[in-house]
Amino acid sequence: MATAIDVPPGQAVLEAENLSVYYGSSAAIRNISIRIPENRVVAFIGPSGCGKSTLLRCFNRMNDLVPGARIEGAVRYRGADLYAPGVDPVEVRRRIGMVFQRPNPFPKSIYENVAFGPRINGYRGDLDALVERSLRQAALWDEVSDRLHESALALSGGQQQRLCIARALAVEPDVLLMDEPASALDPIATQKIEDLIYELKKSYTVIIVTHSMQQAARVSDYTAFLYMGELIEYGPTDLIFTNPRVERTEAYITGRFG
C-alpha cells in the first residue's frame, strides 16, 4: 500500500485511480492511485520491470498500441476520463506529448521534423515562427538555426533528443511525458536535457521515468517509487529522498536492493 503525500485538491492535471494494467493475464501495475500537479516535474523511479513505463504510457493511451493490453480503473485529464467512449487517442496524444528513451527523429530536415506535427494537425499560423519557438523552448535554436534544412540525422544524440522534444512541443501540448530521455546520452548531453526539463515546467507539466535516482533528485518536484507493479510511496522529492515513510523506499534509495 502506498504512502501518498498527495497534491492539494483541484491542482491535479492528470489522475489515476485504482489503475491496473494487464498484458494478457499478467498484471504490469496494480491498483495505482496518483495525482499529478500542474507545472511540476514528477519522476517515476524503481527497479527495471516495476511498471514505471507502463504507468507513464497510460497517461496518453500509448498502451492501446500494445496487443493484449487492457486497463482497469480510471485515468483522468483535467477531470475528463481519457478512456471514455468517443475519446480520440490521437487528440489525447496531442495534448499529452511523449519523448522516448532513444531519439527518434524522422529522416527529414530539422525544420520538417518540427513542422510535421503542426502540418498534419492543420496549423494555419506562421509555421516558421512556430518552428523557431519550439526549437528555442528545446534549447536547440542557437545550435541549428543556420542549418534548418539539413538532415536531422546528422545531429548528435543529445541534439536529436532535444529535437524530439521540440517536435513534441510544436503541437502545443499541455503535458510532456518523458520515458528515460537521457539514458542513452553522455553526461554533457544529459545535463542539457536536465536543464531543459527544469525550464519546461514553467509552461508545462512534465512526468519523467528515470533509472537514475540522482536525476530524479535533481530535476523533480515530486517522486513516485514503484516496485513490482505497485506504487510504494509518492510525495515531494526532498522528503522521499531524505525522510521516506516506507522502509522499502529507504532500502531502494540507499542501495540495499534494486
Side-chain angles (χ1 to χ4, degrees), residues 20-31 54 67-72:
S20 298
V21 176
Y22 296 86
Y23 298 129
S25 60
S26 176
I29 58 174
R30 293 180 295 275
N31 296 319
T54 294
R70 62 184 176 86
I71 78 160
E72 296 177 357

Side-chain angles (χ1 to χ4, degrees), residues 175-186:
V175 179
L176 197 59
L177 311 179
M178 295 184 169
D179 194 354
E180 299 200 28
S183 65
L185 305 180
D186 62 67

Side-chain angles (χ1 to χ4, degrees), residues 134-143 162 192 196:
S134 301
L135 288 168
R136 286 189 183 279
Q137 284 183 299
L140 190 57
W141 174 257
D142 291 343
E143 297 171 40
R162 281 181 285 146
K192 290 184 178 181
L196 175 57

Side-chain angles (χ1 to χ4, degrees), residues 161-220:
Q161 190 65 300
R162 281 181 285 146
L163 178 63
C164 292
I165 293 171
R167 189 174 67 193
L169 297 177
V171 296
E172 302 178 321
D174 186 25
V175 179
L176 197 59
L177 311 179
M178 295 184 169
D179 194 354
E180 299 200 28
S183 65
L185 305 180
D186 62 67
I188 293 175
T190 295
Q191 180 64 56
K192 290 184 178 181
I193 294 293
E194 290 182 3
D195 291 344
L196 175 57
I197 291 169
Y198 185 83
E199 288 298 314
L200 287 173
K201 75 175 181 180
K202 297 175 183 177
S203 303
Y204 305 93
T205 299
V206 180
I207 310 177
I208 177 172
V209 165
T210 179
H211 67 284
S212 167
M213 288 181 286
Q214 294 83 3
Q215 184 172 80
R218 287 191 297 264
V219 305
S220 69

Side-chain angles (χ1 to χ4, degrees), residues 19-195:
L19 177 66
S20 298
V21 176
Y22 296 86
Y23 298 129
S25 60
S26 176
I29 58 174
R30 293 180 295 275
N31 296 319
I32 288 180
S33 295
I34 189 170
R35 303 176 73 243
I36 307 297
E38 189 165 19
N39 294 118
R40 295 291 185 269
V41 179
V42 176
F44 294 166
I45 65 170
S48 296
C50 69
K52 303 184 298 293
S53 293
T54 294
L55 177 59
L56 187 77
R57 292 194 299 262
C58 288
F59 288 123
N60 72 342
R61 295 189 54 168
M62 289 295 290
N63 288 322
D64 291 12
L65 306 175
V66 179
R70 62 184 176 86
I71 78 160
E72 296 177 357
V75 183
R76 289 184 284 270
Y77 166 65
R78 297 194 180 277
D81 181 359
L82 285 180
Y83 289 81
V87 172
D88 182 1
V90 175
E91 176 62 15
V92 170
R93 294 174 198 136
R94 190 196 70 75
R95 292 174 181 264
I96 306 169
M98 191 160 191
V99 176
F100 296 92
Q101 181 174 0
R102 293 191 176 275
N104 59 343
F106 302 140
K108 301 174 180 287
S109 70
I110 295 167
Y111 183 98
E112 289 300 327
N113 263 269
V114 182
F116 180 83
R119 276 209 178 102
I120 65 172
N121 282 299
Y123 183 75
R124 297 188 179 184
D126 185 336
L127 195 56
D128 289 350
L130 178 62
V131 168
E132 178 177 346
R133 183 171 73 246
S134 301
L135 288 168
R136 286 189 183 279
Q137 284 183 299
L140 190 57
W141 174 257
D142 291 343
E143 297 171 40
V144 303
S145 60
D146 59 347
R147 48 184 176 137
L148 293 177
H149 300 291
E150 296 179 13
S151 173
L153 301 179
L155 297 174
S156 70
Q159 289 174 325
Q160 287 186 11
Q161 190 65 300
R162 281 181 285 146
L163 178 63
C164 292
I165 293 171
R167 189 174 67 193
L169 297 177
V171 296
E172 302 178 321
D174 186 25
V175 179
L176 197 59
L177 311 179
M178 295 184 169
D179 194 354
E180 299 200 28
S183 65
L185 305 180
D186 62 67
I188 293 175
T190 295
Q191 180 64 56
K192 290 184 178 181
I193 294 293
E194 290 182 3
D195 291 344

